[in-house]
Each structure stands twice: as structure tokens, then as C-alpha cells.
Amino acid sequence: MPFAKITQVAHYVPENIVSNDDLAKIMDTSDEWIYSRTGIKQRHITVDENTSDLAAKVGKQLLAQADLSADQIDFIIVATISPDSSMPSTAALVQAKIGAHRAFAYDLTAACSGFVFALATAEKLIAGGYKRGMVIGAEVLSKSLDWSDRSTAVLFGDGAGGVLLEDTGTQPLIIAENLRTDGSRGDSLTANYLALNPELNGQVNHVTEFIKMDGRAVFDFATRDVPKNIQETLEKASLKPEDIDYFLLHQANSRILDKMAKKLGTERSKFLQNMQEYGNTSAASIPILLSESIKNGKLSLDENYKIVQTGFGGGLTWGTLIINL
Ligand code: ACO
């Protein structure tokens, strides 16, 4: 059975930067409040590029770095909760934009766990015989933010990151995985509700399209269920936290990472962090962090690093992959 290998990584964020001080000019907030509670200093917010534009830039970079032509790609999965449209999918738009006419393409929706779920899925496609695919997490969450709601508007940012997956591995890419969903707690984090036609059923739509969040409930979920999930995955693989080189977790909040490190009894410095620069970019946060860490030399694709990737977010969804890089 062929083993998948991540052979390239890339990320792209819009140029336009919005700092905490910029936000304090348009809403009742402050750099002190945002930074002390979340670790976020700024975020990149797109002005003229939609989700498929960000994702296509990542796709083009992956091709250029690998010196491949677009028709050598077999599949494209885009993890997103902020697609350009529900039809065509963002992945289909990316396929057209990069000219990968042989590739089948689809979106995967698992909120901030999207990239982890997509990478787990793509690994099975490679095991099943596909040679080469792209897994991209891409979000323009600024489309779904209520800019008058300071409790959510300060948290999120736009961006995209992705990997090229090829069938050239010499060992399993995923040592252990543990993907979870609990739809019964879905109400704590919602966005983009599509109402029934009121002309047909006479009902008034009281549900907003904006991101709404019960911050406390999400914080509790992230600091209770998620470390347990990581611990269980480590046990599955007969590994201990000290066997892991780095933990690349969804970048929601630095206090969540502090708690996670404490619960796992691991040095905080092993939990890589870049939300200070990008905010929470949902499905894009882990691939942006991975790509940045490889580009700045913290990680390498050639030195057999063992990393943990953990996503958690709306659904509720959460999940961990232990990866041989
Ligand atoms: N600036 C200033 N004050 C604010 C802001 C803001 N941006 N937002 C809320 N406040 C105020 C509130 O109105 C409240 O005021 P009050 O006491 O007068 O009523 C006060 O600050 C405290 O509000 P809380 O919501 O209780 O603040 P908390 O300390 O819980 O921090 C936060 C909020 C940062 C969202 C926290 O709950 C958290 O980290 N939750 C995790 C959720 C998360 O990270 N979500 C990201 C998306 S989900 C995901 O990616 C998994």
C-alpha cells in the first residue's frame, strides 16, 4: 500500500493588516483586552480577494515549488467554512484557477478541524491509489463577522495554507488519528444559517448569518475534550508527549494552548504559535502554522519530525493526527 508524504507546504495571507488598535477605533475594545485574553495582536483581512483566490495562490505556490504542471494533480480538497459559494465549491474554483483539469475537487466542512479532517481523508485517497493531491485550508471569515459584535469580530482573520501530498512516503504519514464530532453541542458556535423560504412556511427568520459564539462554552470544550483527545491519540500510538517534537494546534487563543501544555505536562515552547499575527483563521490556521514553521526552519520535511496536529471548533468537531513529517 502506498504511503502518503507531505512534499510541499505553502501559505498565503492578504496584504491588508488590521491591528488591535485599528479595531479599537471602530468598536469598544482595546489592544490590552484582546491581547491579554487571546494572544492576538493583528489579523490579515482581505479587501479584494475571496476564499478561492487565497486558496488558488497556495495551489500555484505548491505547484511551482514542486516543479509540477497542474495536470499532474489528481485531487484537490479545500477545507473551509467561508466558501465563495455553496455551488460551485471553492475547490472546484481553485481547480479552474490553477488549471488542474484532471483533478477531482471538493470542499470539506468541519470548521476549525477542517484541515485535520481533510488531511486524514486525503491520506486514505493516496492509500487507495491516487498519486498526488492538494489539501488546502482557506478562509475569508471577515465575510461572516458582525463588525459591531466585539466579542467575535476581534478573534478572526483571513488566510490560506496547504500541502502537496504524494504517494512517495517510505513510512505511514499518520501514526495515529482520533477524529470526533458532537452535533448535540453545535449551538455553541454557529454561522451562515440558511433559513427556509418564509413565503412558503410563514415563519420569520430570527437566525443570523454571522458567526455567533458562546465563548465560555467553547473555551471549556477546548480545554477539556481536546487535551483528552490528544492524550488518547498518544496512547493509541504508544507515545508520550515527550516523544513529540512539536504540537501544531488550531490557533484560537494562546490561553487555550497554555492550558493544553499544562494538562499534557509538556513544555509550552513545544506548542507552536502564530495567532498573534493572523488571529483565528479556522481551517487555515494549522496549514499556515505548518508552512511558516517549515519556511522559518523550525520544522523540516526531510528530518523525520514527529508532530501532533489538533483541530477543534464548530460542529462541535475536534481531532488529532500524530504525523511523521
Ligand atoms: N473588548 C473589550 N471587552 C470585551 C470584548 C472585547 N473585544 N469582548 C467581550 N468583552 C467584554 C464582555 O462584554 C464582558 O463584559 P461584562 O463583564 O461587562 O459583561 C467582558 O468583556 C468579559 O466577557 P467574557 O466573554 O466573559 O470574556 P472572557 O474572559 O470569557 O473572554 C473569550 C472571551 C476570549 C472569547 C474567551 O471566552 C475565549 O477565549 N473563548 C474561547 C473561544 C475561542 O477562542 N473561540 C474562537 C473561535 S472557536 C474556535 O476556533 C474553536
Side-chain angles (χ1 to χ4, degrees), residues 28-29 33 37-38 112 150-151 154-156 189 213 215-216 218-219 250 252-253 255-256 280 312-313:
D28 183 14
T29 191
W33 193 98
R37 279 184 175 69
T38 69
C112 308
R150 64 179 183 174
S151 70
V154 304
L155 302 176
F156 298 94
L189 199 47
M213 179 182 72
R216 285 281 163 87
V218 174
F219 193 85
H250 168 51
N253 184 312
R255 288 188 307 154
I256 292 177
N280 178 344
F312 48 94

Side-chain angles (χ1 to χ4, degrees), residues 90-126:
T90 302
L93 296 171
V94 171
Q95 188 248 27
K97 282 178 185 177
I98 69 173
H101 50 267
R102 270 192 53 251
F104 65 91
Y106 60 93
D107 289 358
L108 185 150
T109 299
C112 308
S113 312
F115 182 77
V116 166
F117 280 36
L119 186 59
T121 307
E123 190 229 19
K124 276 70 180 177
L125 290 175
I126 297 283

Side-chain angles (χ1 to χ4, degrees), residues 237-248:
S238 304
L239 292 171
K240 296 196 167 58
E242 50 272 31
D243 299 321
I244 301 299
D245 294 304
Y246 289 107
F247 293 80
L248 282 75

Side-chain angles (χ1 to χ4, degrees), residues 254-270:
S254 61
R255 288 188 307 154
I256 292 177
L257 299 189
D258 296 344
K259 282 222 167 199
M260 212 76 86
K262 229 180 191 167
K263 286 208 168 174
L264 290 168
T266 316
E267 307 98 276
R268 176 64 173 80
S269 57
K270 278 192 173 187

Side-chain angles (χ1 to χ4, degrees), residues 125-203:
L125 290 175
I126 297 283
Y130 292 103
K131 199 169 165 46
R132 197 176 282 124
M134 289 179 180
V135 184
I136 299 173
E139 302 284 12
V140 174
L141 293 167
S142 57
K143 293 186 290 192
S144 305
L145 289 176
D146 175 355
W147 290 96
S148 66
D149 175 8
R150 64 179 183 174
S151 70
T152 51
V154 304
L155 302 176
F156 298 94
D158 303 334
V163 301
L164 181 70
L165 214 56
E166 299 190 75
D167 66 350
T168 53
T170 52
Q171 59 182 343
L173 173 72
I174 298 177
I175 305 167
E177 71 178 70
N178 188 3
L179 308 183
R180 302 291 305 273
T181 299
D182 180 1
S184 71
R185 286 187 279 166
D187 278 355
S188 55
L189 199 47
T190 57
N192 300 323
Y193 180 76
L194 292 174
L196 294 174
N197 186 338
E199 283 179 24
L200 291 177
N201 69 5
Q203 308 235 323

